[in-house]
Amino acid sequence: MARPRKPLLSRDRIVATAGALVDAEGLGAVSTRRLAAELGVSGPSLYNHFRNKDEILDAIADSVSAQVDLSMFDEDDVRDWRTALHDYAVSYRAALTAHPHIVPVLAQGPGRRPAGLRVADAVFGAMVRAGWPPAQATHIGALMRYFITGSALGSFARGFVDDETAYDPADYPHLGQAHLLAERQQRVDEGAFETGLRALIDGLGGQYETVRATPKSS
């Protein structure tokens, strides 16, 4: 019988394997030697698809950006800009929290990544169509990225130990329940994100009314 053939090496296969390594062990787990071993190929064969490790990490980051729902920014979508921003932020954060180790790469901006640029283009275009001046539409895109990636870089709740003795009431009179935060991580972190997101969008809403009421210079 013929021996089974190894799967052909491709960019998609390299990115999927490297992404799984990052998810499991962090950015430091990716090296050409480790990746070649995981794929069952020689190290130099990777260079037919990527020039270096940074390009591989860029591709992983872009594969995460591609998971973000952008349908709310379609021209025929009925959601207003406030709801669109909210739904986009929730989708973006979900993609990042599913792959937290790649967030530092995504936080650097889209660079030349196609999916990342599509995200930026969709947000900017939708805000301009809604009536925001281009400069402020740019600020909104930046603000949303800061807020979303920042929220995904770490967990507030997981930053507290679950040892009640760590919070002596003599020193920390208001942290009597802090040891419970870790076990309630998802509820606390998602609640904090939603609270901040709604406050952010409400604040933008006030600015929007001012923008709309300001006569445009001829």
Side-chain angles (χ1 to χ4, degrees), residues 118-199:
R118 282 193 290 273
V119 171
D121 181 75
V123 176
F124 178 80
M127 294 305 100
V128 171
R129 286 197 308 274
W132 285 97
Q136 287 174 282
T138 299
H139 296 163
I140 291 170
L143 171 63
M144 296 302 291
R145 184 164 68 82
Y146 297 154
F147 178 69
I148 298 164
T149 57
S151 74
L153 279 171
S155 163
F156 174 83
R158 199 165 53 224
F160 294 84
V161 298
D162 61 359
D163 178 3
E164 189 173 3
T165 64
Y167 309 102
D168 188 329
D171 296 322
Y172 316 108
H174 306 297
L175 296 182
Q177 300 296 306
H179 64 287
L180 301 175
L181 290 173
E183 69 180 46
R184 301 171 183 175
Q185 176 196 335
Q186 183 174 359
R187 190 189 342 164
V188 171
D189 291 345
E190 289 184 356
F193 178 77
E194 185 67 23
T195 298
L197 179 58
R198 291 195 177 279

Side-chain angles (χ1 to χ4, degrees), residues 37-119:
E38 294 285 335
L39 290 163
V41 299
S42 63
S45 64
L46 297 176
Y47 297 115
N48 294 324
H49 302 276
F50 295 98
R51 289 181 297 180
N52 50 46
K53 172 182 173 177
D54 286 343
E55 283 196 355
I56 295 172
L57 294 179
D58 261 356
I60 297 169
D62 214 39
S63 71
V64 174
S65 293
Q67 298 171 23
V68 180
D69 180 17
L70 299 176
S71 63
M72 67 289 296
F73 297 132
D74 292 344
E75 292 191 34
D76 59 353
D77 193 280
V78 298
R79 282 170 279 192
D80 67 6
W81 68 266
R82 296 171 180 81
T83 305
L85 277 183
H86 175 275
D87 294 350
Y88 152 72
V90 170
S91 176
Y92 198 171
R93 182 177 181 273
L96 298 190
T97 54
H99 307 281
H101 292 145
I102 200 65
V103 174
V105 179
L106 280 159
Q108 297 170 10
R112 296 178 180 271
R113 303 177 203 133
L117 289 170
R118 282 193 290 273
V119 171

